[in-house]
Structures are given as structure tokens and as C-alpha cells.
Amino acid sequence: MEFRVTDTPRSVWTGDALVIGLFEDEVELTGDLAQLDEKLTGTLKELIEEVDFKGKAGSSAITRVGGSSPIRKIAIAGLGKAEDLKLDTLRQAAGICAKLARKEKCKTLGISFPMWKKDADATVAAIVEGAELALHQDSRFKSEPDEQSTQIQEIELLGFAGSESAIARARQITAGVILARELVAAPANYVTPITMAETAQSLAAECGLEIEILEQEDCEKLGMGAFLGVAKASDLPPKFIHMTYKPAGVPRRKLAIVGKGLTFDSGGLNIKGAGSGIEMMKVDMGGAAATFGAAKAIGHIKPDVEVHFISAVTENMISGHAMHPGDILTASNGKTIEINNTDAEGRLTLADALVFADKLGLDAIVDLATLTGACVIALGDDIAGLWSSEDSVAAQLTAASELAGEKFWRMPMEEKYFEGLKALHADLKNTGPRPGGSITAALFLKQFVKDTAWAHMDIAGPVWTDKENGYNGPGATGFGVRTLVHWALSKA
Ligand code: BES
Ligand code: MN
Ligand code: ZN
């Protein structure tokens, strides 16, 4: 598929389908739209009336144009109120229209959307991302690919000549999102600690990243007892993956992205029961997947910041050498942890990964993790939790997430709740009481970062969606990649 920007007026554009973006309560056809409708012998006006189109965000309609028209189909996409226009409204609308056009067997698509905040490049990037992510299909595990006779070959963005570079940038980002989606979607018998290490190796080769993979013995030497305590039960070797992107000159900032990388989470001896969603626990490496996706995008974009991509990858299994509930583990910073629940394993793997990142002497660390069901209860499926005791880092990430169209909600780092993690014989327990479970999880992680500004993102909700909406779903979303890339690129 190809994207192009052009200044061809919409009244003279030719191709299979033309999509017009319309604001709420502004669906009267004036100016060049009236001209276009004249050429279409009133089809546009008819369509608007027929479906009672009001321009509501997320609404769309398409119809055939008769006669010898230069376009075969005309589509309309609602963009909501003009004054509320968000970049993500355009991303969503582009996704909806791209899927609609494919269903209608169009090969060439023209999109005429308004500009967001006089920022042509951001507008183009959002439209390209929405279309590309919406059209991504994953039939790797089907013996025959899904029935899809026609694929869109060309999408033209009308009114945006000059923003060619924004197309390239958006596609570097979507390539990262798609990598993350495919890693999350692939089940645990395909994505293992070993294949994650292989993926990292080829990613590093592709993008010119430095790579270091610590094997079990290396992790033992570093005293990573928390990570290895989880890994012990698995028949597969743990892999501690560390990739580094270094810019050509002196880096403006040095950052680390740390992702939870549980290729499967059975719960361990506190095994997940019926109705727990155990069959979905292939998603438990969604943090690592976002980390890899960001590495791919950043490795191609090549900004002037140094970025470390880190994941302690293993699975949480049961076997004769599984850790017992009640065991006491020692993390690489010397802290002792009483395991009162083996299903709170992500924070154990992250503990050693955060200690490792903290020792690198960087400006900021952000971790992403499908960490708690409690966060899903608090914020639902679409919104990730964000914790940081550093307001500046929280602000940077919030700004990045707005450009990215990924929703985060800042949650309290309520130190008082640390009471719930106090243990009788060890420095801390790995789980606190059920209320506020996502907050105590964040407080647990905080014990393993001493010297670096740090933020934590709980992505257990948005890592996956059962619904089809806009450019996502159903399936893995690749959540986090776009926010991470915008964060790394931001001039903070
Ligand atoms: N991987 C899960 C969290 C999760 C839940 C991910 C839903 C994706 C979707 C995590 O390891 C876990 O099991 N958390 C427990 C913690 C509890 C034992 C304190 C939970 O949330 O129930
Ligand atoms: Mn678990
Ligand atoms: Zn888990």
C-alpha cells in the first residue's frame, strides 16, 4: 500500500472512493463541496439525507456514484464538533473509512479531512497511522489467509502536499505498533523467552542497536533472585534482554524503557482458576512487546537521544522446581521479598530489570506492564494507569500520549499504602491487600528505583481489545508504542 499527499481539489480528484470528513452540525454542502455534489449529480446530498448523517464522531456512510463520474464511491465520515477536534478523531475516522473502502473493494482511496491545529504533519501522520493500523491483518496462524479479494493499493491525502515526510515518520511508528501487536497476538507456544531473544537479535541487526542478552548464569552473577525465582519453574531458559539505541552525536537525553515480559502467566502455584482469563495470558509480555515496537520505530527514526530497551523475559509456570508461596527471594539490590502470591510475578521480574536500568545512570526510566487486574477494574479496558513521583516525567508522558491517541490516567503513588506490603521476616511482601491493588503494585516497583526519575504504566486493560473500534481490534492493540516514541522524540 502506498500513501501520497496532494493538493488536488476534492471536486476534481479521481479514484475508486473519496472520503469527505464532516463536522457535526456542519453538513450543509457549500463552496467546493457543492461543486463536487453537482458533479456527482446530488449523490452526496442524497447520502447525507438518506442515512440522516449528523457528523457525529465515529459515524460513516458510503454509496455508489452512478453515471460516468470520475469516482466510483463517495463516503462521509463524521468528525464530531469542530471545536473538539482531536488528532485521534482523525486517526479513528481514517481507520473506519479505510476498512469501509476495503470492504467495498476499492483499490484507490482519497481522504479529504480538515487539518488539526494548523499542524499539517501531525494531521497527515494521524490519518496514515489510522488507515495503516486499521488495515493490518494477522493471518499467520491460519492455514489459508482470511478472504480478502481486494486490498487497498493507494491512499491519497487531499490538501496536504508538502507533508511527505510525515508519511514516512508515521509508517516507521506503525511498523513498531504492528510488531508489538504480532508479538502479543502470537500464543505462548510460539512466543517464548527464546523467540523473544531471537526477535531482539534480528531487531538489533535491522536497526543498528547494540544488544546484550544475559543468560541465566549472568543473571545469577548479578544476583537477580526475584527474576530467577519466577523463571525457575519453566522448562525454558530465561532471557534478560538489553538493546541500546545510541545516536551519532552526544545524546540530548538518556532514557530507558522497561517492559514486563511474561510470555505466559499461569499464576504459578497460586494458579489462575476458572474464569480468571488464564487463556489470555499470552498477553502478559505486552510491556516487552511495546518496548520492542518502540525499539523498532526509534531505531529507524534515529533521534538524538539514547534509549535503552530492557526486558527480563520468562514464563510463570508450575513444576517441581517452582517457587513456593511463602518463599523469600533476594533481588539484585539486596532487598528480600516474601512471596505471598506467586501470581504477582510481573513485579518480581520488573524489580531486577529496574535495578539494572537504575544502575545505567540515565535521565529517566519508564516501565510498561500488564501488571494488575486491579488496574483494569479501576480504569476499564481502554485506559492505562500512570504512576510517577516525578511530575515532569508524568507531564512528558501525558503530552506524548495525547499526540499518540493512547489514553492514560495518572494514579496516586500513595506512600501510606506501603504499609500493606510490610512483611514479618522479609523487607517486603510481593502483594498487599486487594483494595488499591494497582497502587501497591506501583509502590512495590518503586522500591527498586533509587537514582533515576521513573514512571510506571499498567497496560493490563488496553493491551488487548475484544471489540472492533476505529483502527484497533479485535485483538492485540500494540498499546504503548506510539506514546513511547513520542516521548523519546519530545524536546523535554
Ligand atoms: N498478568 C497479571 C495481570 C493481568 C490481568 C494482565 C489481566 C492482563 C490482564 C498479573 O501477573 C497478575 O496475575 N496479577 C494479579 C496480582 C494479584 C495476585 C495481587 C491480579 O491482578 O490478580
Ligand atoms: Mn500473575
Ligand atoms: Zn502477569
Side-chain angles (χ1 to χ4, degrees):
M1 187 171 53
E2 255 201 86
F3 286 94
R4 265 205 286 271
V5 281
T6 140
D7 272 344
T8 310
R10 44 196 179 181
S11 54
V12 302
W13 185 83
T14 62
D16 289 336
L18 176 61
V19 191
I20 310 286
L22 293 170
F23 288 120
E24 207 168 313
D25 307 321
E26 288 181 23
V27 296
E28 296 86 47
L29 304 178
T30 55
D32 68 325
L33 274 188
Q35 238 175 304
L36 171 66
D37 197 32
E38 212 168 292
K39 280 201 178 171
L40 305 180
T41 62
T43 310
L44 188 51
K45 187 155 185 287
E46 262 172 42
L47 177 63
I48 289 170
E49 281 166 7
E50 206 170 272
V51 300
D52 200 15
F53 185 79
K54 295 276 194 291
K56 289 242 182 313
S59 64
S60 64
I62 189 164
T63 191
R64 232 192 102 78
V65 183
S68 55
S69 162
I71 58 175
R72 274 206 302 125
K73 311 227 172 180
I74 181 87
I76 43 183
L79 300 174
K81 292 217 162 53
E83 62 270 26
D84 300 340
L85 183 67
K86 294 205 169 54
L87 218 38
D88 206 52
T89 312
L90 298 174
R91 205 182 271 110
Q92 300 273 355
I96 291 166
C97 295
K99 279 192 279 193
L100 195 59
R102 179 174 61 191
K103 203 163 134 247
E104 299 275 332
K105 308 211 178 305
C106 300
K107 291 201 177 92
T108 54
L109 178 64
I111 298 183
S112 172
F113 282 178
M115 200 182 297
W116 175 81
K117 286 195 179 169
K118 295 186 179 152
D119 190 338
D121 285 356
T123 305
V124 166
I127 296 170
V128 170
E129 285 171 13
E132 178 124 333
L133 291 175
L135 295 174
H136 166 236
Q137 284 171 312
D138 185 358
S139 51
R140 289 171 298 162
F141 304 106
K142 299 240 166 116
S143 57
E144 272 169 45
D146 289 332
E147 190 77 44
Q148 204 68 237
S149 49
T150 312
Q151 291 292 347
I152 296 181
Q153 287 164 5
E154 199 181 289
I155 298 183
E156 282 200 323
L157 277 56
L158 278 61
F160 290 101
S163 289
E164 288 75 10
S165 63
I167 296 177
R169 168 63 56 86
R171 299 197 84 172
Q172 287 165 325
I173 294 176
T174 54
V177 178
I178 287 168
L179 171 64
R181 281 184 180 180
E182 294 193 344
L183 285 170
V184 170
N189 60 331
Y190 283 88
V191 166
T192 67
I194 296 169
T195 70
M196 285 292 279
E198 288 165 358
T199 301
Q201 292 284 8
S202 48
L203 199 55
E206 172 193 321
C207 309
L209 310 174
E210 289 176 14
I211 182 162
E212 178 190 27
I213 293 179
L214 306 182
E215 305 296 339
Q216 184 180 319
E217 311 77 66
D218 306 312
C219 297
E220 278 164 7
K221 282 184 198 132
L222 291 171
M224 294 185 175
F227 172 43
L228 294 174
V230 176
K232 230 152 62 111
S234 173
D235 285 341
L236 304 171
K239 301 280 178 183
F240 189 102
I241 300 170
H242 175 203
M243 296 179 274
T244 312
Y245 163 73
K246 285 191 174 149
V250 179
R252 187 165 52 77
R253 296 213 285 167
K254 293 185 179 182
L255 310 171
I257 296 168
V258 178
K260 172 175 170 181
L262 268 290
T263 56
F264 188 71
D265 178 11
S266 72
L269 285 170
N270 290 104
I271 194 163
K272 288 182 184 291
S276 63
I278 190 172
E279 72 285 356
M280 281 307 299
M281 281 305 138
K282 64 175 181 179
V283 308
D284 216 16
M285 33 60 75
T291 302
F292 284 21
K296 186 176 173 90
I298 290 168
H300 284 290
I301 294 170
K302 304 202 184 303
D304 56 351
V305 288
E306 180 174 307
V307 191
H308 296 257
F309 305 94
I310 296 165
S311 185
V313 185
T314 185
E315 8 164 64
N316 187 21
M317 298 297 283
I318 48 171
S319 75
H321 32 259
M323 61 179 172
H324 320 89
D327 279 1
I328 294 177
L329 305 178
T330 306
S332 45
N333 65 347
K335 293 216 175 176
T336 57
I337 308 160
E338 182 182 318
I339 308 305
N340 59 345
N341 192 325
T342 61
D343 199 8
E345 83 299 335
R347 61 195 76 182
L348 298 171
T349 63
L350 285 166
D352 283 323
L354 288 171
V355 170
F356 182 93
D358 195 33
K359 285 185 190 149
L360 296 171
L362 310 175
D363 298 307
I365 302 171
V366 47
D367 79 72
L368 293 92
T370 49
L371 201 60
T372 66
C375 194
V376 188
I377 299 299
L379 299 175
D381 284 331
D382 294 349
I383 306 172
L386 170 64
W387 283 260
S388 184
S389 18
E390 209 74 41
D391 287 345
S392 61
V393 180
Q396 291 160 19
L397 289 167
T398 303
S401 78
E402 271 155 28
L403 289 173
E406 294 179 318
K407 289 179 187 156
F408 287 85
W409 191 257
R410 185 145 177 214
M411 299 281 278
M413 194 71 94
E414 186 63 41
E415 299 288 347
K416 192 163 164 271
Y417 291 178
F418 190 74
E419 284 296 322
L421 288 174
K422 288 197 173 145
L424 184 58
H425 293 299
D427 295 337
L428 70 167
K429 301 189 283 194
N430 72 328
T431 65
R434 241 159 78 87
S438 67
I439 299 173
T440 42
L443 289 169
F444 179 95
L445 297 179
K446 191 165 181 273
Q447 308 309 307
F448 300 90
V449 191
K450 234 178 40 219
D451 302 320
T452 320
W454 160 78
H456 158 61
M457 298 170 165
D458 194 331
I459 61 167
V463 70
W464 185 271
T465 178
D466 291 325
K467 296 164 288 179
E468 171 163 5
N469 51 26
Y471 50 82
N472 274 327
T477 56
F479 188 93
V481 173
R482 297 198 305 279
T483 297
L484 291 171
V485 175
H486 284 292
W487 179 57
L489 298 182
S490 69
K491 296 289 168 199

